[in-house]
Amino acid sequence: LAQGRNKRVRKLLHRMHPAMIAALLERLDAGQRSALWQQVEASREGRILAHLKGDLRRSLAGEAHDAHADEAAAPEHGSGDGISQLEAVRHALEQGKLKRVGKLLHHMHPAKVAGLLEALPPAERNEAWSMVETERAGRVLAYLHDEISAALAQQLDLEDLISAVEHLELDDLVDLIQTLPHELGSRLVHATAGARREQLESMLSYPEESAGGLMNADVIEVRADVQAGTVLRYLRLLETLPPQTDMLMVVDRSGRYQGALRLSALVTANLDATVAELMHTDVVGIPVDTASRDVALLFQDLDLLSAPVVDDRQRLLGRITVDDVVDLIREESDRTVMQMAGLDDEADMFAPVLVSSRRRAVWLGINLVAAFLAAWVIGRFQATLEQLVALAVLMPIVASMGGIAGSQTLTLVIRGLALKQVQRGNIRVLLNREVGISVLNGLLWALVVAALAVVWFGDWGIGGVIAVAILINLLCAALAGLAIPLVLERMGIDPALAGSAILTTVTDVVGFFAFLGLASVLLL
Amino acid sequence: LAQGRNKRVRKLLHRMHPAMIAALLERLDAGQRSALWQQVEASREGRILAHLKGDLRRSLAGEAHDAHADEAAAPEHGSGDGISQLEAVRHALEQGKLKRVGKLLHHMHPAKVAGLLEALPPAERNEAWSMVETERAGRVLAYLHDEISAALAQQLDLEDLISAVEHLELDDLVDLIQTLPHELGSRLVHATAGARREQLESMLSYPEESAGGLMNADVIEVRADVQAGTVLRYLRLLETLPPQTDMLMVVDRSGRYQGALRLSALVTANLDATVAELMHTDVVGIPVDTASRDVALLFQDLDLLSAPVVDDRQRLLGRITVDDVVDLIREESDRTVMQMAGLDDEADMFAPVLVSSRRRAVWLGINLVAAFLAAWVIGRFQATLEQLVALAVLMPIVASMGGIAGSQTLTLVIRGLALKQVQRGNIRVLLNREVGISVLNGLLWALVVAALAVVWFGDWGIGGVIAVAILINLLCAALAGLAIPLVLERMGIDPALAGSAILTTVTDVVGFFAFLGLASVLLL
């Protein structure tokens, strides 16, 4: 029974009489006994101890005393920085003091618990996870990256999982369900009741990366013809507003969105002003199929805290809140950086070695093809290299300068595309500039490298050839750095994903070909 | 006079009598006349036309007619996507139809105007900028990247600049002043009056990248012992609240922060409940010297819309709003990606070619040192290469595989550090994993590359040597990918800036050395 499922053990213990537990403790061997003891609620320890034999009582009482001493120390840990928290938890886990772990986690915000769980290796993570209270587990899941959240959610008993997600905001629940295996996800959907289930199902029908996938249904609607005083009385009846409510939505009889009534306008208004006079009509409804990236730009440009989502007939479906947009922006930037190295940003940093190896191998394989292409170009010039081995020494310099210069242009254009600053209307201008820059930098570094090569090998020919090759490669690098993202964008491929691998291939091939080709023609 | 300073021209024209303008128009040559006409206000065109001679009247009336036809078309343009806006503006600029440009810009949100200005080449940008109304120019400046915003601000006459920034939020004004040359900045400070100036000066004293640099002074303070009804009456007297107000700050007599009163709690409260009962004490004050990166994590984890900033004695200094945090996150992610290519994220995409060349040359120079280091390693083995030229063909493969594998580990660790998931407590675990992954992938790809090399060159020795070299390089790459960011972080250098250049140097040097070294020992 005590095979890691601490939550179930706790539930069973909770139902047992202290005398029964004491008897159970006496029958177990020392290791199991100590593990079981860690799951006993603090309030019942005393009563169980009373039922135990002398020496056993003393040793367990010693542990209990330890735990309480920890408690006094815990707030101190909690106020320390993240490092000491992680170390405290790992230390407690190593000693098997799960009670202390539970107490440490109890004092932390769910976001911090999630961060801590992600920083733990899998075995310890599972142990720590078993000590998170069910009521808080749902919010912790919402803060975890996809892969880890799915794994931890599946460790819970179904009934625990259901009660854990009971109070989750709908958009977070939707995200969670989308990461879970299909069967488990639909069980969660079936476990929700009534109106919540209807909303859940409609939200699940929108694609994840759209306004529909970001929105929440918890809007408060008012009519345009009522007075501010009436609205305030209505709100007082509600007692609490959904979190992150900065505005009420004004709709007409058929549910069409008409404008937004900011709380800040409401509290400063005369009580007899009508909603129509107070509402802002400049907050336009976001169509439900808007790409989430455009939603993020909209929030950023207009400094929105929340925004209404409407269908194609302007009917209000829900609202998007800025906290989800913040998460979205962070995740998107994360993904860009990770994708550039061929990594998955939702993956677990501590996934099993075999799983991670396989994922990364794909990227290595793609780059191997590129490397062999470059090698093949060099292979064409084996005879040249045999006669002049200095070329082999210098050729990586030509390729590497091209790669660096090209990635500068590439990065600039990818960012310009993301910020919509690179558009059909100004590509020509950009092209001229990039070519100009590459010529200037090409001249400068061609001279420097040539001078160094002449000094090193005492051969003016090699200097001349490497100078021309660097100029050519920097020019090609600028053109490729501009063209590759534009072409990928038009093909619907994210330039951040494949751009840099393709670029390096181009600059390697061009660099080797230009340098060795020129040398074989001019120097031999 | 008409040398690009359209704003001044407009001001002068505004003060002149229509007949005078007509006389002026008649005396100018055709090009200048048309340019001047573009600056005449639409409402006065008719009266000026009445003073003109026949054929002149007809030609200018034609242009006026054009402009009005444009106006009808403008909303259509405005609702189109960004591309057509940019093209419409560039088209109008080419034809010298500045009036049309002014109208197009007038219909756009300041953020969009800023985006459009950044997408224009400098000459056209300046022309378009001269058509932005002074009242809106301040907000447009706030949305621009540093370099461009400084350049455009300096183009305005000082008095225009002062009136442009008059209604800017203080935190935006602080950002702007920090980008301007010192003298111009302090003139702007001197031009603000009274309380605003005091706040401005205190905000300028905080470092840009801290909570103090992000905060705004526009808090609304209330006392804990008053009733909700009283607070509501007080807010009604204020008439409007500062933008992005989602909570009032509760302070005691000496200005110490005690808690936050959310508007959503206020509007749902009984009128006789006291602020003390309604306020949230879980929103803790952010110390003014907190790093802005930590502020961003806090907002993200706690889903805040705004947060109080306090000094070391818990006195309330101001508040940070989520819109600035959104900008911060976007900028930070932008900077990371740009820095990895040695670019400055605040720089103008269309800066003069010479300026951009110089900036990028630095990065190329740094990488050149790395490339020469690798070349030097190869140079040590010239004799080996002369005897076995196949080595020269294959050696870039070894270096490139190491570079790719290393950058995967590097990216993972850099992100882990940023999210605080890589900490002293789990580096050992991470190390074991990365070594494990690199051994597995090393074995896999070593075999593949060896097989291909044997097939290509028909030499079992080369296959064996390249296999071992790849294994060694992938192992070193994993160690370097883990160690470099940790060391840089401890030295206080941003790992995203220098990490990848150092890593490539390591993997190149190790790759060439292992491959050529082994070959010279084993194969010759």
Side-chain angles (χ1 to χ4, degrees):
Chain A
L1 209 75
Q3 42 173 264
R5 320 208 68 160
N6 289 324
K7 267 206 185 114
R8 190 174 291 176
V9 173
R10 274 209 299 285
K11 259 192 272 173
L12 287 173
L13 285 180
H14 185 74
R15 293 194 207 114
M16 286 163 78
H17 188 271
M20 294 258 305
I21 300 177
L24 186 65
L25 281 169
E26 291 187 358
R27 242 173 300 141
L28 292 170
D29 64 54
Q32 281 190 298
R33 183 189 302 143
S34 171
L36 187 59
W37 181 245
Q38 292 290 337
Q39 301 302 330
V40 174
E41 289 153 69
S43 56
R44 303 176 78 200
E45 282 174 357
R47 286 205 281 155
I48 295 171
L49 284 176
H51 288 278
L52 285 172
K53 282 202 220 100
D55 52 342
L56 204 56
R57 187 190 307 178
R58 242 164 288 130
S59 87
L60 289 185
E63 286 200 26
H65 179 76
D66 260 18
H68 295 305
D70 290 344
E71 196 159 19
E76 191 194 312
H77 276 300
S79 65
D81 54 341
I83 294 181
S84 74
Q85 277 179 349
L86 176 64
E87 285 182 336
V89 169
R90 286 202 71 187
H91 188 68
L93 284 171
E94 270 165 35
Q95 299 191 324
K97 304 227 164 141
L98 288 173
K99 253 183 210 160
R100 196 201 288 179
V101 175
K103 263 174 224 150
L104 282 169
L105 294 179
H106 182 76
H107 290 289
M108 290 160 73
H109 187 273
K112 286 255 175 280
V113 176
L116 186 88
L117 287 172
E118 298 204 336
L120 286 172
E124 296 176 20
R125 182 190 294 155
N126 292 344
E127 272 194 284
W129 174 239
S130 73
M131 298 310 294
V132 175
E133 300 99 327
T134 308
E135 314 84 68
R136 291 175 18 116
R139 295 201 54 206
V140 173
L141 284 176
Y143 281 104
L144 289 165
H145 281 97
D146 285 358
E147 182 171 293
I148 302 173
S149 127
L152 293 186
Q154 291 178 65
Q155 270 186 28
L156 294 178
D157 289 337
L158 185 61
E159 56 178 309
D160 283 340
L161 181 56
I162 289 170
S163 65
V165 301
E166 213 167 39
H167 300 290
L168 219 51
E169 276 184 58
L170 266 183
D171 56 344
D172 290 333
L173 181 54
V174 167
D175 287 345
L176 180 64
I177 288 175
Q178 279 163 340
T179 66
L180 292 176
H182 185 70
E183 199 201 349
L184 186 55
S186 58
R187 276 206 197 164
L188 277 190
V189 175
H190 285 296
T192 56
R196 189 168 152 94
R197 173 151 163 205
E198 246 170 66
Q199 288 175 348
L200 185 61
E201 283 179 339
S202 91
M203 284 171 67
L204 277 166
S205 69
Y206 300 112
E208 216 179 328
E209 301 281 291
S210 73
L214 283 169
M215 77 177 180
N216 230 328
D218 57 357
V219 274
I220 299 196
E221 302 181 352
V222 290
R223 291 284 164 79
D225 51 4
V226 297
Q227 294 182 330
T230 317
V231 175
L232 280 172
R233 276 197 303 278
Y234 167 62
L235 295 179
R236 251 168 246 139
L237 286 177
L238 291 178
E239 286 183 9
T240 57
L241 299 184
Q244 317 262 344
T245 298
D246 70 310
M247 49 169 72
L248 315 177
M249 304 298 175
V250 186
V251 293
D252 67 9
R253 261 162 203 288
S254 53
R256 267 196 291 268
Y257 171 75
Q258 305 204 291
L261 174 60
R262 294 214 171 88
L263 289 185
S264 59
L266 183 63
V267 295
T268 53
N270 283 321
L271 293 179
D272 53 1
T274 64
V275 168
E277 291 162 26
L278 299 171
M279 74 180 182
H280 291 258
T281 50
D282 56 340
V283 182
V284 293
I286 299 176
V288 68
D289 53 359
T290 309
S292 54
R293 179 189 267 195
D294 293 333
V295 173
L297 281 178
L298 205 66
F299 267 77
Q300 196 188 0
D301 283 351
L302 306 186
D303 293 346
L304 297 173
L305 297 181
S306 65
V309 178
V310 296
D311 67 8
D312 51 4
R313 287 159 64 193
Q314 285 293 314
R315 277 180 314 200
L316 185 66
L317 297 174
R319 64 180 186 128
I320 297 176
T321 50
V322 72
D323 58 315
D324 295 318
V325 174
V326 169
D327 293 343
L328 182 78
I329 294 176
R330 184 62 32 113
E331 277 166 27
E332 215 174 78
S333 82
D334 229 36
R335 193 176 312 151
T336 307
V337 175
M338 298 289 272
Q339 278 186 345
M340 280 165 60
L343 297 169
D344 175 2
D345 66 314
E346 289 291 352
D348 178 2
M349 195 166 67
F350 294 108
V353 170
L354 209 62
V355 175
S356 301
S357 300
R358 209 173 42 215
R359 284 188 193 139
R360 293 200 206 168
V362 176
W363 191 242
L364 282 165
I366 292 172
N367 279 279
L368 186 63
V369 174
F372 260 100
L373 203 64
W376 176 79
V377 172
I378 303 173
R380 299 291 87 197
F381 297 98
Q382 279 192 58
T384 316
L385 285 170
E386 255 167 42
Q387 288 177 270
L388 204 52
V389 79
L391 297 178
V393 176
L394 292 173
M395 66 185 187
I397 295 177
V398 180
S400 130
M401 295 293 280
I404 298 294
S407 79
Q408 292 187 322
T409 306
L410 183 79
T411 305
L412 198 77
V413 174
I414 289 179
R415 182 179 85 140
L417 284 172
L419 297 184
K420 312 212 174 199
Q421 281 173 16
V422 172
Q423 302 178 357
R424 213 171 345 128
N426 60 15
I427 287 174
R428 269 212 87 76
V429 188
L430 201 61
L431 176 70
N432 292 338
R433 257 178 53 82
E434 289 301 317
V435 168
I437 293 173
S438 73
V439 168
L440 279 182
N441 265 328
L443 285 173
L444 169 66
W445 293 112
L447 287 176
V448 172
V449 174
L452 290 170
V454 170
V455 170
W456 189 350
F457 293 98
D459 182 335
W460 287 92
I462 288 185
V465 165
I466 203 170
V468 177
I470 284 183
L471 244 178
I472 292 174
N473 204 19
L474 257 58
L475 203 60
C476 288
L479 296 177
L482 187 61
I484 290 169
L486 292 176
V487 172
L488 287 177
E489 174 101 344
R490 188 150 308 169
M491 289 166 64
I493 302 172
D494 185 352
L497 176 61
S500 111
I502 300 177
L503 178 88
T504 316
T505 312
V506 171
T507 53
D508 276 1
V509 167
V510 171
F512 290 136
F513 187 80
F515 183 52
L516 298 177
L518 281 172
S520 70
V521 171
L522 299 177
L523 298 183
L524 301 183
Chain B
L1 211 75
Q3 37 170 268
R5 320 209 67 164
N6 289 323
K7 269 210 183 108
R8 190 174 292 175
V9 173
R10 274 212 297 284
K11 260 191 270 173
L12 288 173
L13 286 179
H14 185 74
R15 294 194 208 113
M16 287 163 75
H17 188 268
M20 293 257 307
I21 299 177
L24 185 67
L25 281 169
E26 291 187 359
R27 243 175 297 139
L28 293 169
D29 65 53
Q32 282 190 297
R33 182 190 302 143
S34 172
L36 188 59
W37 180 246
Q38 292 290 336
Q39 302 302 329
V40 173
E41 291 153 68
S43 56
R44 302 176 79 201
E45 281 175 359
R47 288 205 280 155
I48 296 171
L49 283 176
H51 288 278
L52 285 173
K53 284 205 219 95
D55 51 342
L56 204 56
R57 189 190 308 176
R58 241 164 289 128
S59 87
L60 289 185
E63 287 202 23
H65 179 75
D66 261 18
H68 296 306
D70 290 346
E71 196 159 15
E76 193 193 311
H77 277 298
S79 65
D81 54 340
I83 295 182
S84 75
Q85 279 179 348
L86 177 65
E87 285 183 337
V89 169
R90 287 202 71 187
H91 188 70
L93 285 171
E94 269 165 35
Q95 298 192 324
K97 304 226 162 142
L98 288 175
K99 253 183 211 160
R100 195 199 291 180
V101 176
K103 262 173 227 151
L104 281 170
L105 295 179
H106 182 76
H107 291 288
M108 290 161 71
H109 187 271
K112 287 256 175 279
V113 176
L116 187 88
L117 287 172
E118 298 205 335
L120 286 172
E124 297 176 18
R125 181 189 295 156
N126 293 344
E127 273 194 282
W129 174 237
S130 71
M131 297 311 295
V132 176
E133 299 100 327
T134 307
E135 313 85 66
R136 286 165 34 106
R139 294 202 53 207
V140 174
L141 285 176
Y143 282 105
L144 289 165
H145 280 98
D146 285 0
E147 183 171 294
I148 303 174
S149 128
L152 293 186
Q154 290 178 69
Q155 270 187 28
L156 294 178
D157 290 337
L158 186 60
E159 56 178 307
D160 283 339
L161 181 57
I162 289 169
S163 65
V165 302
E166 215 167 38
H167 301 290
L168 218 51
E169 275 183 60
L170 266 183
D171 56 345
D172 291 332
L173 181 55
V174 167
D175 287 344
L176 180 64
I177 288 175
Q178 278 162 341
T179 66
L180 291 176
H182 185 72
E183 198 201 350
L184 185 57
S186 57
R187 278 206 197 163
L188 276 190
V189 176
H190 285 297
T192 56
R196 189 166 151 96
R197 170 148 166 208
E198 244 170 67
Q199 289 175 347
L200 185 61
E201 283 178 339
S202 91
M203 283 170 67
L204 277 167
S205 68
Y206 299 112
E208 216 179 328
E209 301 282 290
S210 73
L214 283 169
M215 78 178 178
N216 230 327
D218 56 357
V219 273
I220 300 199
E221 302 180 351
V222 291
R223 291 283 164 78
D225 52 3
V226 296
Q227 293 183 329
T230 318
V231 175
L232 280 171
R233 277 198 301 280
Y234 166 63
L235 294 180
R236 253 169 245 140
L237 288 177
L238 291 178
E239 286 183 7
T240 57
L241 299 185
Q244 318 261 343
T245 298
D246 70 310
M247 50 168 71
L248 314 176
M249 304 297 176
V250 186
V251 294
D252 67 10
R253 261 160 204 290
S254 52
R256 266 197 291 270
Y257 171 76
Q258 305 205 290
L261 175 60
R262 294 216 171 88
L263 289 185
S264 58
L266 182 63
V267 294
T268 52
N270 283 321
L271 294 178
D272 53 0
T274 64
V275 169
E277 290 162 24
L278 299 172
M279 74 181 183
H280 291 258
T281 49
D282 55 340
V283 183
V284 292
I286 299 176
V288 69
D289 53 359
T290 309
S292 54
R293 179 188 269 196
D294 293 332
V295 173
L297 280 179
L298 206 65
F299 267 76
Q300 196 187 358
D301 283 350
L302 306 186
D303 292 347
L304 298 172
L305 297 180
S306 67
V309 178
V310 297
D311 67 9
D312 51 3
R313 286 161 62 194
Q314 285 291 315
R315 278 179 314 199
L316 184 66
L317 297 174
R319 64 179 187 129
I320 297 177
T321 50
V322 71
D323 57 316
D324 296 318
V325 174
V326 169
D327 293 344
L328 182 78
I329 293 176
R330 187 48 47 104
E331 278 167 26
E332 213 173 78
S333 83
D334 230 35
R335 191 177 310 148
T336 308
V337 175
M338 298 289 272
Q339 277 186 346
M340 280 163 62
L343 297 168
D344 175 3
D345 67 314
E346 290 290 352
D348 179 2
M349 194 166 65
F350 295 107
V353 171
L354 210 62
V355 175
S356 301
S357 300
R358 209 173 43 217
R359 284 190 193 137
R360 295 202 206 166
V362 177
W363 190 242
L364 282 165
I366 292 172
N367 279 278
L368 186 62
V369 175
F372 261 101
L373 204 63
W376 176 80
V377 172
I378 303 173
R380 297 292 87 198
F381 297 100
Q382 280 192 58
T384 315
L385 284 171
E386 255 166 45
Q387 287 177 267
L388 203 53
V389 79
L391 298 177
V393 176
L394 293 173
M395 68 186 184
I397 294 176
V398 180
S400 129
M401 294 294 279
I404 298 293
S407 78
Q408 291 187 322
T409 306
L410 182 79
T411 306
L412 198 77
V413 175
I414 289 178
R415 182 179 85 140
L417 285 171
L419 296 184
K420 309 207 179 216
Q421 282 174 14
V422 173
Q423 301 179 359
R424 214 170 346 127
N426 60 14
I427 286 175
R428 267 211 88 74
V429 188
L430 201 60
L431 176 70
N432 292 338
R433 256 178 55 81
E434 289 301 317
V435 168
I437 294 173
S438 73
V439 168
L440 278 184
N441 265 327
L443 284 173
L444 169 66
W445 294 111
L447 286 176
V448 171
V449 173
L452 290 169
V454 170
V455 170
W456 191 349
F457 293 99
D459 182 335
W460 287 91
I462 289 185
V465 166
I466 202 169
V468 177
I470 284 183
L471 245 179
I472 292 175
N473 204 19
L474 256 59
L475 203 60
C476 288
L479 295 176
L482 187 62
I484 291 170
L486 293 176
V487 172
L488 287 176
E489 175 101 344
R490 188 150 308 171
M491 289 165 66
I493 302 172
D494 185 352
L497 177 60
S500 113
I502 300 177
L503 177 87
T504 315
T505 312
V506 172
T507 54
D508 276 1
V509 167
V510 171
F512 291 136
F513 187 79
F515 183 52
L516 297 177
L518 281 172
S520 70
V521 172
L522 299 178
L523 298 183
L524 302 181

